[in-house]
């Protein structure tokens, strides 16, 4: 479709940058780029959602749906950049971590974590309202504000940011990247802070959960 093609073209510079960083092979450059991308993503999303939740800044200017669509496009671009930067960091710093035990243990554990993380995110997404993956309810209030108790939400209050991050650790293990494992911890801490400082107050403010 035209939208998919436009998205692919828009994300192409991020992919090319990731390839360039991987080819350059500098761990310092890869780490700096990853940290910059992660902070850009979390800070943009956090500040935008906080402003929208408290003051409706973007919605008042463009209308709720249009404001969300614009926010989603920018957040998606930063999200892809963050993922590419993490992948580049892991590739550049591969074979810098070892687990005790048999040689097959590390890649096997990594593969299992990748499946668990991606599977959990996909499962959770199916049990959320439309657009929730990109925080649509901050812009367009949902008619039913109660959170679904189905899927992984029957056991976890926030599967996306907990078990749903297992794939990051898994990929770092697959390529044996010590800095990649540290990057996964940094990523999860950053998104957890976003949930604590921005998402949870929004939930409490509008009486959900």
């Amino acid at each position: 479709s035209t939208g998919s093609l436009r998205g692919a073209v828009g994300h192409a510079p991020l992919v090319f940058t990731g390839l360039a960083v991987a080819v350059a092979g500098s761990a310092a450059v890869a780490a700096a780029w990853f940290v910059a991308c992660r902070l850009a993503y979390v800070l943009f999303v956090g500040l935008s959602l906080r402003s929208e939740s408290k003051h409706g800044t973007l919605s008042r200017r463009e209308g709720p749906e249009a404001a969300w669509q614009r926010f989603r496009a920018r957040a998606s671009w930063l999200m892809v950049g963050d993922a590419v930067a993490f992948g580049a960091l892991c590739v550049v710093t591969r074979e810098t971590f070892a687990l005790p035990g048999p040689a097959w243990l590390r890649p096997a554990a990594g593969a299992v974590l990748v499946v668990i993380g991606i599977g959990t995110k996909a499962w959770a997404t199916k049990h959320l309202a439309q657009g929730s993956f990109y925080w649509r309810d901050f812009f367009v209030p949902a008619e039913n504000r109660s959170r679904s108790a189905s899927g992984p939400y029957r056991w976890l209050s926030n599967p996306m940011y907990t078990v749903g991050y297992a794939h990051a650790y898994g990929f770092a293990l697959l390529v044996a990247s010590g800095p990649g494992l540290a990057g996964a911890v940094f990523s999860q801490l950053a998104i957890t802070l976003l949930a604590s400082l921005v998402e949870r107050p929004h939930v409490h403010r509008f009486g959900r959960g």
Side-chain angles (χ1 to χ4, degrees):
S1 66
T2 303
S4 299
L5 179 60
R6 188 182 303 114
V9 172
H11 293 145
L14 299 171
V15 176
F16 290 141
T17 303
L19 290 173
V21 170
V23 170
S26 169
V29 171
W33 186 47
F34 162 69
V35 170
C37 286
R38 188 63 183 179
L39 290 178
Y41 166 55
V42 172
L43 288 175
F44 169 77
V45 169
L47 293 174
S48 297
L49 294 182
R50 185 179 179 85
S51 177
E52 184 64 25
S53 178
K54 285 190 169 184
H55 310 294
T57 306
L58 302 175
S59 293
R60 287 204 313 269
R61 190 188 323 158
E62 305 178 61
E65 187 64 31
W68 176 68
Q69 291 290 349
R70 183 182 294 273
F71 165 82
R72 176 181 175 176
R74 293 173 177 173
S76 174
W77 194 85
L78 291 169
M79 187 184 294
V80 170
D82 173 63
V84 171
F86 177 73
L89 172 67
C90 290
V91 169
V92 170
T93 61
R94 63 192 179 278
E95 304 300 332
T96 57
F97 176 82
L99 279 179
W104 56 264
L105 179 60
R106 176 186 52 76
V112 169
L113 289 175
V114 168
V115 171
I116 290 175
I118 294 177
T120 299
K121 280 188 178 293
W123 189 20
T125 300
K126 288 184 178 180
H127 292 270
L128 289 173
Q130 183 180 9
S132 293
F133 190 82
Y134 287 100
W135 301 278
R136 186 174 186 267
D137 63 311
F138 275 77
F139 299 85
V140 184
E143 292 182 5
N144 179 11
R145 290 189 175 275
S146 63
R147 172 171 283 182
S148 170
S150 59
Y153 291 97
R154 287 177 290 182
W155 302 283
L156 299 169
S157 61
N158 198 334
M160 290 283 194
Y161 298 164
T162 53
V163 180
Y165 258 73
H167 68 288
Y169 298 91
F171 183 72
L173 278 178
L174 279 175
V175 298
S177 170
L181 288 171
V185 173
F186 175 69
S187 293
Q188 192 165 28
L189 286 175
I191 204 70
T192 300
L193 280 174
L194 171 66
S196 177
L197 298 177
V198 179
E199 293 183 359
R200 195 168 299 145
H202 180 77
V203 167
H204 292 161
R205 186 173 295 116
F206 291 96
R208 296 180 304 164

